[in-house]
Amino acid sequence: MEIITAVKGFKDILPPETDKWRHIEDTAKDVFRAFGFSEIRVPLLEKTELFRRGIGESTDIVEKEMYTFFDRGEESLTLRPEATASIIRAYLEHTLHAAESVTKLFTIGPMFRRDRPQKGRYRQFHQIDVEILGPDDPCTDAELLIMVIHFLGRFGLKSLNLEINSLGCLQCRPAFREAVVRFVRGGEEGLCGDCRRRIDTNPLRVFDCKVDTCRQIISSAPRLTDFICAACREHFSEVGACLTRFEIPYTVNTAMVRGLDYYTRTTFEVTTEFLGAQNAILGGGRYDHLVRDLGGPDISGIGFAIGLERLAALIPEEARGGAEGPFLFIAALGEKAVDKGFSLCNALRMRGVRVEMEYKTRSLKSQMKRANRLNSAFVLILGDREIDQNRALLRNMRASTQEEVGLEGLEETIIKIAR
Ligand code: HAM
């Protein structure tokens, strides 16, 4: 019979890769705690309207990538393609803004986008998503970026580029948008079909097109820098000044537009050449109208999301942490030995020591092979004859030494070594 495979673009994460993921998540929680963030958990399924309104009707995500279905023909629901809209929905639904003027939240979990799967791009992928709701000052933008760099620094990653840009505000962006439309209309026939369509719906997305001819055309298009209002300019230059003050290298990428419509002012991405075409480890930015657009009060926000698959791909196996083998492998030889070993194994596990053993007695050689494969620190060799003599052999696998130990008080002896 044929086996059933996973859905295309949906990936299993197997051990020991899961150890690396846990290490990343633990590090995130550790770093975020220091910066005052609390965890929020939001559902995977939301009303479709939330993403239409939040992310924007004319974005690729909403136009063609959402897993949307009618729940028994009654209500349109969507598997979340990102977490920001859901977090703000929860923030408003539970009036978190009434309790605190600054709310710092993070969540970790799967997102779903029906994009064309390729290396680094999946249909179910995972994000560590972080949001600060409340303040709109440039120091908050810098605070978030400092945290990003500190977090990535914990994995010793090299060759990361922090790119920042300002997308302006509702005052200055319309004139920029119009100028871009005027500009691309001049070379319209050189653009790909998608970009030609975008001229009317979402012209700034042309900046993000990967097609060579479009890239060439857009490379000399007007930039927001030529239209940015004084308030946005000052905000952006203060973000830059803060980053310089804390010695965080960055480059300004005036062509960065991001794929979601809610951004205003500061946007950013961290990229690396090691990821190939899908080179962004994380992306984010400020959104000063999203809370209001989702029916809430006038509250600013800024956040980012890290792609866990992409970050994990950059972290070497040795750095995964917590993946060491068992402390003890019990090699039991004979029925009595298995019986005795099973009791000891259980007692030690109850006290938090990682122990492995086999219940079918196999040769010492094959059990030692398995202990080696598991990378066990110690092996307790327990034979029926040794049990009759009230003793066993404890082998230190790292030092390649062994000693005789008495069965009396053996649990305590091992606990002492383990602690
Ligand atoms: P985004 O740029 O769409 O932003 O996604 C953030 C990160 O998620 C990307 O940089 C990438 O690492 C990862 N990612 C996105 N799509 C895929 C995929 N198909 N496969 C694998 N990884 C992927 C957002 O989602 C915003 N909600 C970020 C944000 C939070 N902005 C403000 N707050």
Side-chain angles (χ1 to χ4, degrees):
M1 215 190 288
E2 256 181 45
I3 61 157
I4 299 167
T5 56
V7 177
K8 189 175 171 200
F10 287 59
K11 200 170 75 118
D12 298 306
I13 300 137
L14 306 174
E17 180 74 358
T18 38
D19 290 324
K20 203 200 288 185
W21 279 52
R22 190 161 27 80
H23 174 53
I24 295 173
E25 291 169 11
D26 290 348
T27 308
K29 287 176 185 168
D30 190 41
V31 169
F32 299 170
R33 195 177 308 113
F35 282 77
F37 286 83
S38 310
E39 185 174 3
I40 181 170
R41 299 192 187 191
V42 284
L44 302 193
L45 207 55
E46 297 274 3
K47 292 176 184 163
T48 304
E49 178 61 14
L50 175 70
F51 303 116
R52 288 192 172 287
R53 241 205 281 167
I55 299 170
E57 292 279 2
S58 58
T59 55
D60 282 355
I61 296 178
V62 172
E63 268 186 352
K64 46 189 188 193
E65 294 172 6
M66 295 205 303
Y67 283 95
T68 297
F69 63 95
F70 275 93
D71 181 15
R72 310 217 170 221
E74 282 169 14
E75 189 173 26
S76 178
L77 301 179
T78 294
L79 277 174
R80 64 178 186 193
E82 59 117 43
T84 312
S86 304
I87 289 180
I88 293 176
R89 192 230 1 100
Y91 173 75
L92 293 174
E93 194 169 333
H94 304 285
T95 49
L96 302 185
H97 49 92
E100 272 294 339
S101 59
V102 180
T103 308
K104 295 176 166 185
L105 299 167
F106 76 90
T107 198
I108 303 176
M111 310 293 153
F112 305 86
R113 295 185 195 173
R114 203 176 186 291
D115 205 346
R116 201 166 40 83
Q118 53 175 269
K119 188 167 173 281
R121 195 205 278 155
Y122 308 99
R123 289 180 168 175
Q124 174 178 313
F125 59 98
H126 297 74
Q127 285 185 343
I128 301 178
D129 184 280
V130 176
E131 312 290 346
I132 304 182
L133 290 148
D136 64 357
D137 53 280
C139 287
T140 302
D141 304 30
E143 170 188 321
L144 203 64
L145 289 168
I146 290 166
M147 186 172 87
V148 163
I149 298 303
H150 173 58
F151 170 68
L152 295 174
R154 288 275 293 259
F155 304 104
L157 299 180
K158 303 257 167 8
S159 300
L160 300 180
N161 318 305
L162 169 63
E163 299 179 20
I164 63 171
N165 190 23
S166 175
L167 288 181
C169 64
L170 296 187
Q171 267 70 51
C172 53
R173 196 158 49 200
F176 167 54
R177 190 183 142 115
E178 255 173 54
V180 173
V181 171
R182 265 199 309 277
F183 175 86
V184 287
R185 281 223 194 282
E188 206 171 333
E189 48 299 337
L191 295 176
C192 71
D194 268 351
C195 284
R196 250 179 276 166
R197 205 168 36 81
R198 282 172 186 144
I199 297 179
D200 296 314
T201 56
N202 205 341
L204 301 188
R205 298 285 311 138
V206 181
F207 280 103
D208 221 16
C209 187
K210 301 280 184 281
V211 177
D212 276 347
T213 44
C214 299
R215 290 175 84 116
Q216 229 165 13
I217 292 172
I218 208 70
S219 64
S220 48
R223 297 295 158 101
L224 182 79
T225 357
D226 308 325
F227 299 86
I228 194 167
C229 64
C232 286
R233 187 188 300 278
E234 194 186 325
H235 193 277
F236 191 55
S237 79
E238 278 183 37
V239 174
C242 261
L243 293 178
T244 307
R245 180 173 150 203
F246 291 101
E247 294 177 12
I248 294 184
Y250 66 92
T251 49
V252 175
N253 176 359
T254 54
M256 183 178 42
V257 286
R258 309 273 306 125
L260 306 100
D261 272 358
Y262 46 64
Y263 293 112
T264 49
R265 294 194 163 174
T266 317
T267 50
F268 54 90
E269 285 183 355
V270 173
T271 56
T272 168
E273 69 238 42
F274 296 124
L275 284 175
Q278 305 304 318
N279 65 351
I281 308 170
L282 67 89
R286 171 161 287 291
Y287 45 85
D288 288 335
H289 307 292
L290 180 58
V291 177
R292 207 179 53 201
D293 290 347
L294 291 176
D298 214 352
I299 292 174
S300 294
I302 182 165
F304 67 86
I306 300 171
L308 256 168
E309 284 79 1
R310 295 189 193 173
L311 178 57
L314 292 175
I315 297 175
E317 289 303 310
E318 315 82 78
R320 66 182 182 233
E324 76 279 5
F327 178 75
L328 182 70
F329 186 92
I330 299 176
L333 307 158
E335 258 171 53
K336 259 194 279 174
V338 169
D339 195 52
K340 176 83 188 162
F342 195 12
S343 302
L344 178 68
C345 177
N346 251 334
L348 287 169
R349 283 173 174 170
M350 297 301 153
R351 297 177 71 177
V353 182
R354 187 175 158 197
V355 187
E356 293 293 336
M357 74 170 285
E358 282 176 26
Y359 305 119
K360 265 200 190 125
T361 54
R362 294 199 298 143
S363 72
L364 180 61
K365 196 172 158 204
S366 74
Q367 296 203 54
M368 289 306 280
K369 245 193 194 163
R370 171 128 196 268
N372 253 323
R373 214 170 41 241
L374 291 174
N375 197 18
S376 187
F378 287 84
V379 176
L380 183 76
I381 302 165
L382 202 57
D384 282 352
R385 208 179 45 209
E386 280 89 351
I387 290 184
D388 290 339
Q389 295 165 355
N390 228 354
R391 64 185 175 88
L393 278 179
L394 185 63
R395 184 166 175 80
N396 182 331
M397 301 294 276
R398 310 260 191 278
S400 294
T401 55
Q402 63 186 37
E403 59 176 314
E404 218 175 80
V405 285
L407 291 189
E408 206 72 45
L410 184 53
E411 185 183 323
E412 292 312 318
T413 311
I414 290 169
I415 289 281
K416 245 190 236 149
I417 307 173
R419 294 277 141 84

